[in-house]
Amino acid sequence: MPKKILHILPCNTFSPKFINLIKENFDYYKHFFLLTSGMEEELIKKDKNIYIAKKTVRHGLSYYLQALLKIHQADKVILHGLFDIKLVILLFFTPWILKKCYWVMWGGDLYYHQLGNNDRNYKLKELLRSFIIKRIGNFVTYIEGDYHLAQQWYGTKGKYHECIMYLSNTFTDYDLPPRHDQSTNILIGNSADPSNNHEEILEKLVPYKNEDIKIYCPLSYGDQNHAKQIIEKGKAIFGEKFIPLTEFMPFDKYLELLANIDIAIFAHKRQQAMGNTISLLGLGKKVYMRNDITPWQTLSEMNLKIFNFDNIGSEENLTSLSSEQSLKNSEIIKNYFNKETLKSQLQKIFED
């Protein structure tokens, strides 16, 4: 008897490619996709295995009724992120299905434990989340440290499944075009979200403001009020050397930008921007991040050479990675963060 697998996920940049990956590589008709309307919805070709709820009351009711029905019919329920509080409530009142649930951990959903405002609303959400996370049977991530945080924070005893989860976490090889400039190109952060801690990065770079540098700062999505503040501060300190990226860039164009970066600096205080980090390491770029977050341990254990954010301006100089280390990092990334690894890991989860 074939297993039925229900995926509950939002429409975002990951969703169309993930559904196509399942169509092209697995028995698609075992899978049903229950989505909420969102970005790139038009890229999903609808059929009887896909339901996308529009942002109306009627579609919303239909979505949660279908969720209630299908989580009972399915052999496995794959929760792509755990952000939807209404879904959390539904799971709270159906605890008997939690053992067959697989939580694909995105980061922000886990770290809500730390990031939420400590008010009555937060406490109620955490009460509901704690109840279900403790009882979920399976946890899907390649950042094992995040799984251990779930154990520490919520007392979960569910099974860890190593999986790079989405094609956005696979490395796309790219023939680097010849450089025509001599400047040191620095990328800071990956969005306008304040969790990028842009101000802290800019302060770290002040000692180098008179050197031949260009600072690229992606700000096209996230908190636009924060983006304005960062643009003002960046321009005030670095003038024309600070280059805010305020328009959405197609993936190919963004990859071209990353190819011209020498150094990337991320100052997140949790697991974030991993797709960017993987691409940059695969392209042989020098990456700084904090050494007290879970990706540091994961990447270090893979023998990737990464650099401690706290050392900028003291022990480390703003120089590119050596050719030898660049090549080594690139090979490690290519050998693990690829489509074949992803397919193999998903196969294990689907047949578990």
Side-chain angles (χ1 to χ4, degrees):
M1 189 75 178
K3 290 185 177 180
K4 295 178 182 175
I5 301 174
L6 171 65
H7 299 263
I8 300 178
L9 68 167
C11 281
N12 60 23
T13 53
F14 306 154
S15 309
K17 289 182 178 177
F18 180 77
I19 293 173
N20 287 336
L21 179 76
I22 302 302
K23 280 184 180 178
E24 293 167 2
N25 298 282
F26 299 94
D27 186 352
Y28 175 64
Y29 291 99
K30 291 180 183 175
H31 298 260
F32 189 88
F33 299 87
L34 191 57
L35 300 103
T36 48
S37 181
M39 293 170 62
E40 309 214 5
E41 177 182 334
E42 69 282 359
L43 298 179
I44 298 175
K45 188 177 179 182
K46 299 178 185 63
D47 58 36
K48 66 178 184 179
N49 287 49
I50 296 174
Y51 178 84
I52 303 177
K54 302 292 183 186
K55 293 178 179 175
T56 65
V57 173
R58 183 170 67 84
H59 277 90
L61 285 172
S62 174
Y63 172 81
Y64 291 107
L65 284 173
Q66 288 210 47
L68 182 60
L69 175 65
K70 290 187 181 299
I71 59 176
H72 285 89
Q73 295 174 335
D75 296 294
K76 295 175 189 284
V77 179
I78 300 185
L79 307 166
H80 296 260
L82 204 56
F83 297 96
D84 181 355
I85 189 60
K86 292 175 184 172
L87 179 63
V88 170
I89 293 171
L90 188 153
L91 296 171
F92 178 82
F93 285 107
T94 54
W96 50 88
I97 62 95
L98 291 171
K99 283 292 180 192
K100 64 179 178 182
C101 285
Y102 291 68
W103 175 19
V104 180
M105 304 165 76
W106 285 25
D109 46 359
L110 171 66
Y111 289 87
Y112 179 76
H113 177 82
Q114 287 183 324
L115 303 176
N117 295 322
N118 192 21
D119 55 16
R120 185 181 299 176
N121 188 42
Y122 165 82
K123 289 176 180 174
L124 176 58
K125 285 182 179 178
E126 271 302 87
L127 181 68
L128 298 170
R129 281 165 42 89
S130 296
F131 180 85
I132 69 163
I133 292 173
K134 185 175 183 177
R135 291 164 175 79
I136 285 176
N138 302 275
F139 294 76
V140 182
T141 177
Y142 61 98
I143 308 290
E144 190 172 352
D146 281 353
Y147 166 69
H148 293 311
L149 287 178
Q151 288 181 309
Q152 177 186 332
W153 292 341
Y154 297 103
T156 183
K157 296 182 174 61
K159 184 178 177 182
Y160 166 63
H161 299 264
E162 180 182 345
C163 183
I164 56 177
M165 307 191 294
Y166 301 105
L167 285 168
S168 59
N169 287 330
T170 61
F171 176 66
T172 302
D173 209 355
Y174 184 78
D175 291 329
L176 298 179
R179 289 278 296 272
H180 300 293
D181 62 314
Q182 299 296 319
S183 61
T184 300
N185 294 335
I186 304 167
L187 181 84
I188 65 168
N190 72 314
S191 76
D193 192 290
S195 63
N196 283 270
N197 296 300
H198 296 101
E199 295 98 331
E200 198 175 348
I201 301 175
L202 293 173
E203 292 295 336
K204 286 273 191 186
L205 292 175
V206 167
Y208 310 98
K209 69 177 183 178
N210 294 322
E211 295 187 10
D212 185 10
I213 61 172
K214 291 179 182 174
I215 301 171
Y216 293 86
C217 185
L219 297 167
S220 61
Y221 70 94
D223 184 334
Q224 290 308 302
N225 287 327
H226 179 71
K228 289 177 185 174
Q229 293 171 17
I230 296 306
I231 292 170
E232 286 179 13
K233 183 167 182 126
K235 289 290 187 186
I237 300 174
F238 298 99
E240 295 306 310
K241 294 179 179 179
F242 180 81
I243 304 166
L245 305 172
T246 57
E247 300 293 329
F248 175 77
M249 298 174 74
F251 180 72
D252 290 348
K253 288 291 180 187
Y254 191 62
L255 202 56
E256 282 183 30
L257 169 73
L258 297 187
N260 283 302
I261 294 297
D262 298 293
I263 298 166
I265 303 174
F266 300 113
H268 305 100
K269 295 181 179 177
R270 65 175 178 85
Q271 184 256 104
Q272 209 168 343
M274 286 306 294
N276 279 270
T277 301
I278 292 163
S279 293
L280 287 157
L281 290 169
L283 290 168
K285 309 302 181 178
K286 189 174 189 178
V287 174
Y288 286 88
M289 65 170 61
R290 296 186 188 276
N291 69 353
D292 58 352
I293 58 174
T294 54
W296 176 275
Q297 181 180 0
T298 296
L299 298 175
S300 297
E301 288 176 354
M302 296 176 71
N303 292 320
L304 285 157
K305 181 65 176 175
I306 47 179
F307 294 82
N308 185 357
F309 171 75
D310 289 336
N311 290 336
I312 298 174
S314 55
E315 298 175 15
E316 303 288 345
N317 296 317
L318 287 181
T319 56
S320 302
L321 209 55
S322 70
S323 298
E324 182 183 357
Q325 194 61 61
S326 171
L327 184 62
K328 185 180 176 186
N329 274 1
S330 184
E331 288 301 314
I332 292 171
I333 291 291
K334 288 176 184 174
N335 287 336
Y336 181 73
F337 292 98
N338 58 59
K339 191 174 178 179
E340 293 308 310
T341 299
L342 174 58
K343 284 162 50 180
S344 172
Q345 292 172 334
L346 288 174
Q347 184 83 35
K348 287 181 183 175
I349 291 171
F350 296 157
E351 294 179 352
D352 179 44

